[in-house]
Amino acid sequence: MTADVAGPVRSAAVRAWRGVRWYLREWSGEARWDDYLAHCAAHGHQPVSRREFERRRADERERNPVSRCC
Amino acid sequence: MSTTVSRPDTDGGPPGGTGRRRPTLKSTLVWTAVAVVGAVAWTVLALSRGESVSALWMLFAALCSYAIAYRFYARFIAYRALRVDDRRATPAERLHNGIDFDVTDRRVLFGHHFAAIAGAGPLVGPVLAAQMGYLPGTIWIVVGVIFAGAVQDMVVLFFSMRRNGKSLGQMVREEIGIVGGVAALIAVFAIMILILAVLALIVVNALAESPWGVFSIALTIPIALFMGVYLRVLRPGRVLEATAIGVVLLLLAIVGGGWIDNTGLADALTLSKEWLVLALVVYGFVASVLPVWLLLTPRDYLSTFMKIGVIALLAVSLLIARPVLQADAITDFAREGTGPVFAGSLFPFVFITIACGALSGFHALISSGTTPKMVAKESQVRLIGYGGMLMESFVAISALIAAVVIDQGLYYAMNAPAGVTGGTPETAAAYVSGLGFPTSAADLAAASAAVQEPSLISRTGGAPTLAVGISEIFSNAFGGNLQAFWYHFAIMFEALFILTAVDAGTRVGRFMLQDTIGNVWKKFGDLSWRPGNIIASAIVVGLWGGMLYIGVTDPLGGVNQLFPLFGIANQLLAAIALTLCTVLLVKHGKLKYAWITAVPLAWDLVVTMTASWQKVFSDNPAIGYFAQRNRYATALDNGEVLAPAQDVGQMQQVVTNSTINGVLQAFFALLVVVVFVNALVVIARAVRARGPLPTTEEPAVPSRIVEPSGLFATAEEKQAIAEHERLVGAGAGARGQGTFTEEGPAR
């Protein structure tokens, strides 16, 4: 494979990988921590620890059960 | 921040405008080609008799039909009838709190919604309905989803979204009336209990006498506990890491099951159905009272990843293996109604055996409640509601294919109740050959040896059959001598998400019960009151556990007896949902579009009421629960024992079970009639009013965010988003921002 073909192929692969990673992080809720940090930075808040943050999200889930269908 | 930008009419149709564009030549050619391929595929399926037909025709017929329906019909409903309006803010935007109201990327929400609606239903129903042949099931799955199932999901999602994500029960109470509302609430709760019992029954039937299966499934509990602790204590929030570890452990558990098969542990793990019922009931209770982070949440991650992975793998391997259909297009059982898997003729029983995948009332509970609070743009209900259901329908088609490409002698030996197969390869081979599907005891024994199960005779419930089909397709596609591994892989995947549905369902049922009783006894409604949690959990588990026990010990075969009840109940829930949709269309002054939900409603009522009528009043003991009861009660009075019952105790059991099933059946149908009659009154009032009636729809508020409507953003949409970002500056969109207080996520 010559370099001028490998370039676009590689960049397409990188883009696909980034897309999958973005999707999985959004879907699983991992990205919520990044959003929170960005929010705190934008508003000059002191963020809580990740442990504390995830604990609160888990408590929320405790109160709002999700249904799973048949 | 306060700039309001309305999205241009990129989809051509209204909101607001009439700017329909002429289709381009390219789009005309593409859609003509899709239509032609679909038509050819349907023709091949419909006309071939006795030739060898590739299963891929089923796949193509379905996919082409879905594409056309999504492109044209779903769009018509969204833009013409519902008039989705992207200039209007959704509850996710208006009430954004970063918790339940949260603007979510449409592709991510599609994933969440699909994971919530798709479970074991679309895998099991089609397998059982395969006894009618491949054609009736295929037609109903495809036509049903296009005109009923996907329509229901999308319209309920839309109306709930316009009402801040109100639940189905709440909407029925407020829009139809208190009588209908109470009936709907009872129906939802009762149907949920029944669904949990039938799902658990499928797991029991898949795991009984299977040490390999029991070993792997049992290990999912410590694996989930480990993931829970990992996410809570060791590395908080690293979901993908924890899930990857969990999936690897899960695969090891399946491989490990093969090893223990030849050790002393195998005997200890060969559990009877009764013991499995006890284990499931204890598990369900514990899961319902434990904190969700410990067991439920990690389990849910595992099961969702497995679900999506296996479905994708199945689609790919079907293309590689290209199996040939073994079943007839339409079997004699379809005409005569004498099939061993479930009794009754094609109409109405094919349409209730396949509920999930074609029309599933349970989805209305998910389309109202969780999902509508997360939709970013109104037009996205087409992708999420209609598209999500098309995807589930595709799963159902894949499951049907897996059941009709295996040897049909084996299919009937696995799916006929033990009462008629006799339970051994010799008796089963004789019985099945007598049905007209020649097979031999050696063939049946070889089939169970290939998947390393002690026996495959009368492994009813659909899950083992599907696992055999999947293991054959995967082995053909990927080679290697791995059929036993793939079989247990498939069993594990089904059991995993059935158990997730069972523990999530138990919890939801418990919340419903606490909420309802909380109206009269305030303390009981307090979700943090421990005794309340324990009592409510025990009641819910006791109810489905009781039904499960009845099914497991039924001498006539639990699946054979309970599955029709389950299918009818699910479709009756759909009748309630479609009734609500029709009422709302009329109340909003859209009488001329009311047929969109009224036609599937009429069909659904005809099917479910005919089926209910037959199950209650038929004088054929194979179909009517009370005729069955009378037959066994009379024999009991005369001191006779009727096969397949073996003693007086079993005779009494049949009498009791038939009575319970018959009463439940009549009760469900009655509840739906109540809702429907109440709705007719409201519709009559609305029609007489000759104009829109007041509803609980929230007033329009202009939207400030711009998002694409379909899966892929069009060029115009990308331009509109860029324009919007230029106007309001970076970070103005609500997505991903969350509302946070200084202490963390807002409450």
Side-chain angles (χ1 to χ4, degrees):
Chain A
M1 198 183 285
T2 56
D4 55 320
V5 181
V9 169
R10 189 173 319 129
S11 76
V14 166
R15 238 177 318 148
W17 165 246
R18 284 209 190 114
V20 169
R21 188 163 170 277
W22 169 85
Y23 189 83
L24 290 176
R25 287 178 53 80
E26 285 284 334
W27 181 83
S28 65
E30 273 200 42
R32 302 299 300 278
W33 170 244
D34 305 341
D35 299 339
Y36 171 63
L37 287 185
H39 173 88
C40 286
H43 293 75
H45 295 165
Q46 181 65 35
V48 298
S49 71
R50 176 121 197 218
R51 191 172 301 263
E52 183 60 22
F53 179 80
E54 297 295 343
R55 204 153 282 206
R56 279 168 210 228
R57 286 190 61 219
D59 292 346
E60 263 333 304
R61 215 170 280 146
E62 191 79 43
R63 275 189 288 276
N64 300 307
V66 278
S67 206
R68 283 285 178 264
C69 185
C70 29
Chain B
M1 284 290 281
S2 61
T3 320
T4 301
V5 175
S6 64
R7 209 174 56 87
D9 285 342
T10 45
D11 266 277
T18 48
R20 293 187 65 174
R21 287 173 305 184
R22 290 198 152 276
T24 61
L25 180 65
K26 188 178 147 208
S27 111
T28 311
L29 287 178
V30 167
W31 287 103
T32 310
V34 171
V36 169
V37 173
V40 169
W42 279 114
T43 312
V44 170
L45 288 179
L47 298 185
S48 56
R49 291 288 181 274
E51 302 94 336
S52 104
V53 179
S54 167
L56 290 189
W57 290 114
M58 274 169 73
L59 219 54
F60 288 139
L63 289 177
C64 293
S65 308
Y66 296 158
I68 291 172
Y70 183 78
R71 168 66 181 75
F72 297 98
Y73 191 47
R75 185 179 150 123
F76 164 78
I77 298 173
Y79 288 95
R80 296 271 148 188
L82 302 178
R83 293 203 158 248
V84 294
D85 184 353
D86 283 339
R87 291 164 305 185
R88 196 175 168 135
T90 59
E93 184 184 352
R94 277 188 288 113
L95 306 173
H96 191 250
N97 62 8
I99 301 162
D100 46 353
F101 291 97
D102 197 6
V103 178
T104 307
D105 182 275
R106 66 204 183 283
R107 294 157 292 188
V108 174
L109 185 56
F110 179 87
H112 282 298
H113 184 75
F114 176 70
I117 62 171
L123 297 173
V124 170
V127 172
L128 303 182
Q131 86 160 344
M132 303 293 191
Y134 64 80
L135 199 52
T138 309
I139 294 177
W140 168 234
I141 291 172
V142 174
V143 176
V145 77
I146 288 173
F147 293 104
V151 174
Q152 173 207 265
D153 288 19
M154 171 165 76
V155 177
V156 170
L157 178 60
F158 174 79
F159 282 127
S160 175
M161 178 182 72
R162 281 275 174 100
R163 285 162 181 74
N164 292 347
K166 278 190 184 139
S167 71
L168 180 73
Q170 242 175 327
M171 287 194 285
V172 172
R173 193 171 60 234
E174 292 174 359
E175 303 283 0
I176 296 181
I178 189 79
V179 177
V182 171
L185 188 71
I186 299 172
V188 167
F189 184 75
I191 289 165
M192 202 146 91
I193 296 292
L194 188 70
I195 286 175
L196 293 178
V198 172
L199 288 179
L201 177 63
I202 293 164
V203 173
V204 168
N205 282 357
L207 295 185
E209 318 294 338
S210 168
W212 185 339
V214 170
F215 178 81
S216 329
I217 300 300
L219 276 184
T220 62
I221 298 171
I223 292 173
L225 292 175
F226 169 74
M227 284 173 64
V229 172
Y230 189 94
L231 286 171
R232 181 86 169 180
V233 184
L234 300 177
R235 307 244 311 139
R238 271 69 165 199
V239 177
L240 296 177
E241 243 170 69
T243 309
I245 298 173
V247 169
V248 171
L249 291 176
L250 211 59
L251 293 177
L252 287 178
I254 304 175
V255 176
W259 295 329
I260 69 113
D261 230 7
N262 310 313
T263 67
L265 209 55
D267 287 338
L269 290 177
T270 306
L271 298 180
S272 69
K273 291 184 176 178
E274 287 81 356
W275 276 108
L276 282 168
V277 171
L278 192 66
L280 272 181
V281 164
V282 170
Y283 167 78
F285 177 76
V286 172
S288 171
V289 291
L290 276 186
V292 285
W293 64 263
L294 189 55
L295 189 59
L296 220 87
T297 310
R299 232 200 142 82
D300 202 35
Y301 287 128
L302 264 188
S303 90
T304 307
F305 270 94
M306 286 287 282
K307 191 189 304 178
I308 308 283
V310 173
I311 289 166
L313 206 59
L314 182 58
V316 171
S317 57
L318 277 175
L319 292 178
I320 302 176
R322 294 190 309 262
V324 171
L325 302 176
Q326 301 291 331
D328 291 334
I330 301 174
T331 62
D332 291 341
F333 302 134
R335 285 179 278 264
E336 291 153 17
T338 51
V341 184
F342 58 91
S345 50
L346 189 140
F347 181 86
F349 289 101
V350 122
F351 306 102
I352 55 158
T353 306
I354 302 178
C356 310
L359 169 63
S360 169
F362 216 86
H363 293 186
L365 302 184
I366 293 162
S367 293
S368 63
T370 320
T371 307
K373 295 177 183 159
M374 300 166 78
V375 180
K377 282 277 138 194
E378 289 202 341
S379 59
Q380 292 172 357
V381 296
R382 175 174 165 219
L383 170 68
I384 293 157
Y386 202 95
M389 181 61 191
L390 287 182
M391 182 95 156
E392 169 163 294
S393 179
F394 174 74
V395 175
I397 285 284
S398 309
L400 181 59
I401 291 178
V404 294
V405 298
I406 65 172
D407 176 67
Q408 292 301 291
L410 179 61
Y411 172 83
Y412 286 100
M414 290 183 75
N415 286 291
V420 292
T421 59
T424 68
E426 290 73 23
T427 50
Y431 169 73
V432 171
S433 301
L435 288 179
F437 301 93
T439 188
S440 69
D443 286 343
L444 295 179
S448 54
V451 297
Q452 294 183 29
E453 280 286 273
S455 163
L456 285 179
I457 311 300
S458 294
R459 298 294 297 274
T460 57
T465 310
L466 180 68
V468 166
I470 286 182
S471 70
E472 279 186 15
I473 294 168
F474 282 9
S475 305
N476 288 339
F478 307 122
N481 194 12
L482 291 172
Q483 208 182 337
F485 173 81
W486 288 125
Y487 174 87
H488 289 94
F489 176 79
I491 290 283
M492 148 81 88
F493 131 87
E494 287 176 89
L496 188 64
F497 62 70
I498 289 185
L499 289 182
T500 310
V502 166
D503 50 30
T506 304
R507 214 177 172 85
V508 172
R510 179 195 119 192
F511 276 48
M512 275 171 75
L513 197 63
Q514 284 184 275
D515 189 46
T516 309
I517 298 180
N519 287 329
V520 261
W521 177 20
K522 222 164 172 51
K523 184 89 189 142
F524 201 76
D526 175 9
L527 293 175
S528 56
W529 189 49
R530 203 107 188 106
N533 295 350
I534 292 175
I535 297 170
S537 299
I539 295 175
V540 173
V541 172
L543 286 172
W544 67 251
M547 279 308 282
L548 171 62
Y549 186 78
I550 288 177
V552 160
T553 54
D554 197 314
L556 302 178
V559 169
N560 176 316
Q561 292 288 297
L562 285 185
F563 205 84
L565 192 54
F566 158 75
I568 296 173
N570 199 352
Q571 304 263 48
L572 286 172
L573 197 53
I576 294 181
L578 287 168
T579 302
L580 173 73
C581 293
T582 311
V583 167
L584 283 176
L585 283 172
V586 176
K587 279 176 95 172
H588 280 291
K590 294 172 181 174
L591 186 60
K592 75 172 191 179
Y593 292 117
W595 59 267
I596 291 172
T597 53
V599 170
L601 171 61
W603 165 257
D604 185 38
L605 281 174
V606 167
V607 166
T608 49
M609 289 302 154
T610 311
S612 304
W613 183 268
Q614 291 190 7
K615 290 310 266 184
V616 174
F617 295 110
S618 167
D619 51 12
N620 176 0
I623 298 175
Y625 286 122
F626 290 109
Q628 191 176 62
R629 181 194 179 280
N630 290 343
R631 177 161 176 261
Y632 281 81
T634 313
L636 205 56
D637 288 343
N638 299 336
E640 298 164 37
V641 172
L642 297 179
Q646 283 161 358
D647 52 43
V648 176
Q650 289 200 337
M651 292 290 291
Q652 281 160 345
Q653 218 174 346
V654 173
V655 172
T656 318
N657 294 359
S658 311
T659 314
I660 295 175
N661 295 345
V663 169
L664 277 177
Q665 179 67 77
F667 177 64
F668 288 150
L670 210 64
L671 286 175
V672 173
V673 170
V674 169
V675 177
F676 183 67
V677 170
N678 197 172
L680 282 182
V681 175
V682 178
I683 290 178
R685 205 184 301 146
V687 171
R688 236 178 291 134
R690 291 178 187 284
L693 281 189
T695 74
T696 57
E697 185 174 274
E698 295 289 326
V701 171
S703 171
R704 290 181 197 169
I705 53 176
V706 182
E707 287 275 325
S709 11
L711 193 57
F712 303 103
T714 61
E716 291 98 324
E717 284 171 336
K718 283 182 183 154
Q719 207 185 335
I721 292 170
E723 174 76 358
H724 176 69
E725 276 174 6
R726 197 177 59 76
L727 279 173
V728 299
R735 166 154 54 99
Q737 281 292 306
T739 301
F740 300 103
T741 64
E742 282 187 50
E743 294 81 40
R747 288 284 147 82

